Structure formats: structure tokens, C-alpha cells
Amino acid sequence: MSSGIEDHESSCGEQEKADYAAALAEIFDAARARAARQKDLVKQVQGASANRPNGFSGKDVSLFLNGKDIAPREFVDLLVDLALRKGVPHVEERREDLHALRRAAEMASTSPSIRLRSVEEENERLKREIDLLQKRLEEAEHARYGYGGGGPQPDFHQLQAQLDNANLHVDQIQGALHTTRSHAEANRQRLAVTVGRAVMAAIVSHTETSAPFVAQTSQQQESLDEARQMLADIQQRLNEFLPPDQRRAPGDAAGTDVTNPSGAALARPQGGAFASAPRPVKIYVWTVAGIITGVLCLNAAAFVSTCRADTGLTLGQLLAYVVLVLPLALGGCWLLTLSAMAVAGDPATETRRAAGTVIALCAVTAVAAGLLGSIYLPPIAWAGRAWANWLGLL
């Protein structure tokens, strides 16, 4: 029986929402008939609501017009104003009808937030009516007792009855508001309990799922311990038949661990990766390293020689080094480095890492040799001056 009542209430709410959406769509279609495209009209709605606290997106407009969501009061006023600007006739007269449909849809909605919005709006409206009646009553009393003139006297009893009726209505609305807030709080608590139960169920499910893996890991560890013990017993029995100088401790069977059969290979230092590379790779990498060393050393020496010249380093020379010479030298060295790394292999290989290390060390050594050698080593200083002269910087 209760299920039938709920279905009836839901169908009534959907009907009122559909009536409200149909009325909005009718106004929207009338305005769209006077616009170039529907997209332009939606953009105008978005632009008009941009200065509001909560603007309306294109998705919101679609939901409102399709009856998927209940449009708020601001959207009704915005749509009517837009239709007036488009020249839609008799649209101002329908503003109150649209608001009446909106309030009916909000009151029939099952959403606590929408019902709360409707109740708060109705509460504000009744407060304004009470203020208006109170003002009229004060004016009537002032007219009667302040001036005492003749003429028709207002019906104070009727005004007082209207005021009492409005106060009673406000009390009813506030009660409905309290009930709606209580329902919203109850829904929030039920949601929190549901989420907590879902989290606990997920934890229990994860524990039950991971339990077999934990047991399997323990079994594998026990098997590993048994294998180690068996290997130690075999080594101890083997030592009985070996000379004393060839015997090993039971815990050092074959010099390896059963958990790492290739332990000796893993213990090999990674520095030998480049030494074990193919001969063409090593030749190319060393050739690139030599070229980079020569280029960087020569340019560094030329720069120091230019600085130590009699005229010193002029602004034009500095710009030539910064803009032309050094960028070209560094760019060429970078391209050579990339080619050497590509020849050395994939990024994950030890050979490529070793090749990069060799080139980086050669580059640092070349720069240091060029800067210091042009001061303390005459051959490097002579080569730097010759290169600077050839470049036209001396």
C-alpha cells in the first residue's frame, strides 16, 4: 500500500516538473525563433548569468528545458527578460504563471534541497506580506487616531484577521522548513552510514581476498628454508669426501644463495658494462668523446686568450662568444653525444649509461683543461690564440 502511494506521489511530481519544463521550453522556442541559432541563444543566457553567484551553463539550460532538473527562480526571470528583449509578445504576463508552475514543481519534488529552496522562498514571501499588512495597519491607526477626520474608516478587525492568518501561515511554513531540514539531515546520516558500511565491506573483502596469498607466501618461505637446510646438509656430507683446503662452510654452499642463483653475476661491478660492449660501439664512443674534448678545450682556451689580450674582452667579442661561438660548439657536442648514446643501445642498458658517463667526464676535463691550460700550458694557450685569430676575434 505504501509503495503505491509513493509511486503516485512520484508520478505527480514528474507531471508537475514536465508541465513546468514545457512552459519554459515554449518561451525558449519563441525567443529562439527570433535568434540566429539555438547556440547563440544559449550563449546569451550564459552571458546574462555570468555576473550572478551561480551562472547557468549550456548543460544546465538543456536540463531545465528537458525536465531533467527544476530551473530556479533566477532562470525564469532571466528567460523572460531575454524573451522581452527578443520581442516575444505577451511574455511579461506569463512571468507569474511560470513562477507558479515552478513553485508547484518544487513542492512536489522529492529532493530535500529543492523543497528547502521552495519553502525558504515561500517563507520570505509571507514575511513581505506580513510587513505590508503591518504597515497598512499602522497607517490606518494613524489615520484614525492621529487626525480624527471623517470619511470611511478602515476595517481594523479585517486587517488584524489577515495579519493573524499570515502569522499562522508563517508558522506552518517554518514547521515545514524544519521538517525538510530534518529529512535532509536524516538523509545525510543515512548516506554516511551507507558509505561506512561500504568501506568496511571493502576492507573485509580485501582481507579475505589477500588471505590465500599470505598463506601461499608463508608456504613458499617454509619451502625455501627447507631447501637451504637441505643444501647445507648436502654440503656438510660433501665436505667429508673433500680435502681440507677445498671444504666450505655449510652456509656457503657453492658460493651462492638459492634465492639468487646468479648472485656472482649480479655482484659484478657495472663499470665493466662499457668494456664488454662491441668493438665498433667503443670506437665510435671514444671518437665522439675525443672530438667533444677537442672542441670544448679549444673554445675554452680561445675565450681565455681573448680575455687576456691587450685590449681585453670587448662587448662585441663577448656577444660573438655568447651568441655564436659557444652555442654552435655546445650544439654540435650535444648532437654528437646523442648519436653516441643511440649507437650504445637502449636507454635501459648499462652500456648506454657507461657511454654517457665517459662522454660527460671527457667534457668536464676538456673545459677545465681549456680554462687552466691557456694560463699554465703554453701549447694550449697557443692553440686557443690561433683558434681565436681564425674566428676573427683577435
Side-chain angles (χ1 to χ4, degrees), residues 127-185:
K127 285 182 178 179
R128 290 194 299 269
E129 290 184 1
I130 291 174
D131 293 338
L132 180 60
L133 291 173
Q134 186 71 37
K135 184 177 180 180
R136 289 178 58 190
L137 181 60
E138 292 176 356
E139 291 175 354
E141 291 178 348
H142 180 71
R144 180 175 183 179
Y145 299 106
Y147 298 99
Q153 300 294 335
D155 191 351
F156 297 104
H157 297 289
Q158 182 180 0
L159 292 176
Q160 188 65 44
Q162 292 178 1
L163 182 60
D164 294 339
N165 187 22
N167 286 326
L168 179 61
H169 200 176
V170 168
D171 294 337
Q172 293 176 354
I173 291 297
Q174 288 179 348
L177 179 63
H178 177 72
T179 302
T180 303
R181 287 176 176 171
S182 301
H183 290 168
E185 180 65 21

Side-chain angles (χ1 to χ4, degrees), residues 89-102:
H90 308 293
V91 67
E92 180 63 34
E93 292 80 355
R94 302 195 57 185
R95 187 190 296 267
E96 291 302 325
D97 295 338
L98 290 174
H99 281 301
L101 291 173
R102 174 184 58 80

Side-chain angles (χ1 to χ4, degrees), residues 61-391:
V61 175
S62 178
L63 292 176
F64 294 157
L65 299 179
N66 292 330
K68 301 298 183 182
D69 197 359
I70 299 178
R73 176 179 55 186
E74 292 81 2
F75 182 79
V76 174
D77 294 332
L78 180 62
L79 182 60
V80 172
D81 295 340
L82 183 61
L84 286 173
R85 289 196 300 270
K86 293 295 180 182
V88 178
H90 308 293
V91 67
E92 180 63 34
E93 292 80 355
R94 302 195 57 185
R95 187 190 296 267
E96 291 302 325
D97 295 338
L98 290 174
H99 281 301
L101 291 173
R102 174 184 58 80
R103 287 191 291 268
E106 289 176 343
M107 291 302 296
S109 175
T110 58
S111 174
S113 60
I114 294 179
R115 291 178 61 88
L116 180 62
R117 183 178 69 191
S118 176
V119 169
E120 289 177 345
E121 180 185 351
E122 184 68 15
N123 191 15
E124 293 296 330
R125 186 183 66 83
L126 290 175
K127 285 182 178 179
R128 290 194 299 269
E129 290 184 1
I130 291 174
D131 293 338
L132 180 60
L133 291 173
Q134 186 71 37
K135 184 177 180 180
R136 289 178 58 190
L137 181 60
E138 292 176 356
E139 291 175 354
E141 291 178 348
H142 180 71
R144 180 175 183 179
Y145 299 106
Y147 298 99
Q153 300 294 335
D155 191 351
F156 297 104
H157 297 289
Q158 182 180 0
L159 292 176
Q160 188 65 44
Q162 292 178 1
L163 182 60
D164 294 339
N165 187 22
N167 286 326
L168 179 61
H169 200 176
V170 168
D171 294 337
Q172 293 176 354
I173 291 297
Q174 288 179 348
L177 179 63
H178 177 72
T179 302
T180 303
R181 287 176 176 171
S182 301
H183 290 168
E185 180 65 21
N187 289 336
R188 187 189 64 80
Q189 293 178 359
R190 283 197 298 269
L191 180 61
V193 172
T194 303
V195 172
R197 290 176 178 175
V199 172
M200 292 300 298
I203 295 174
V204 172
S205 176
H206 176 71
T207 304
E208 294 177 353
T209 305
S210 59
F213 295 99
V214 174
Q216 185 177 2
T217 303
S218 302
Q219 294 176 359
Q220 292 178 354
Q221 185 64 37
E222 293 177 359
S223 301
L224 183 61
D225 295 337
E226 293 177 358
R228 286 176 177 173
Q229 184 62 37
M230 184 181 300
L231 191 60
D233 295 340
I234 293 174
Q235 183 63 46
Q236 185 176 5
R237 294 178 60 186
L238 184 61
N239 287 339
E240 297 177 358
F241 303 96
L242 293 176
D245 57 342
Q246 297 181 5
R247 294 178 181 176
R248 295 179 180 177
D252 190 25
T256 59
D257 187 5
V258 293
T259 61
N260 184 15
S262 57
L266 292 177
R268 180 173 56 86
Q270 297 181 358
F274 185 68
S276 61
R279 183 181 298 273
V281 174
K282 291 190 290 186
I283 293 175
Y284 186 78
V285 171
W286 281 115
T287 302
V288 170
I291 295 173
I292 291 175
T293 301
V295 170
L296 295 179
C297 181
L298 196 60
N299 282 279
F303 180 76
V304 175
S305 299
T306 306
C307 294
R308 299 184 65 193
D310 296 337
T311 59
L313 183 65
T314 64
L315 181 59
Q317 292 171 338
L318 178 61
L319 291 176
Y321 275 109
V322 173
V323 176
L324 185 62
V325 177
L326 294 180
L328 288 177
L330 294 176
C333 294
W334 179 247
L335 292 177
L336 289 173
T337 302
L338 291 179
S339 65
M341 299 293 282
V343 171
D346 296 332
T349 58
E350 297 294 336
T351 303
R352 183 164 181 172
R353 295 194 186 96
T357 303
V358 169
I359 295 175
L361 291 176
C362 290
V364 173
T365 304
V367 174
L371 296 176
L372 299 177
S374 59
I375 301 175
Y376 300 106
L377 297 177
I380 297 179
W382 179 85
R385 285 195 299 271
W387 179 243
N389 284 324
W390 187 85
L391 293 174

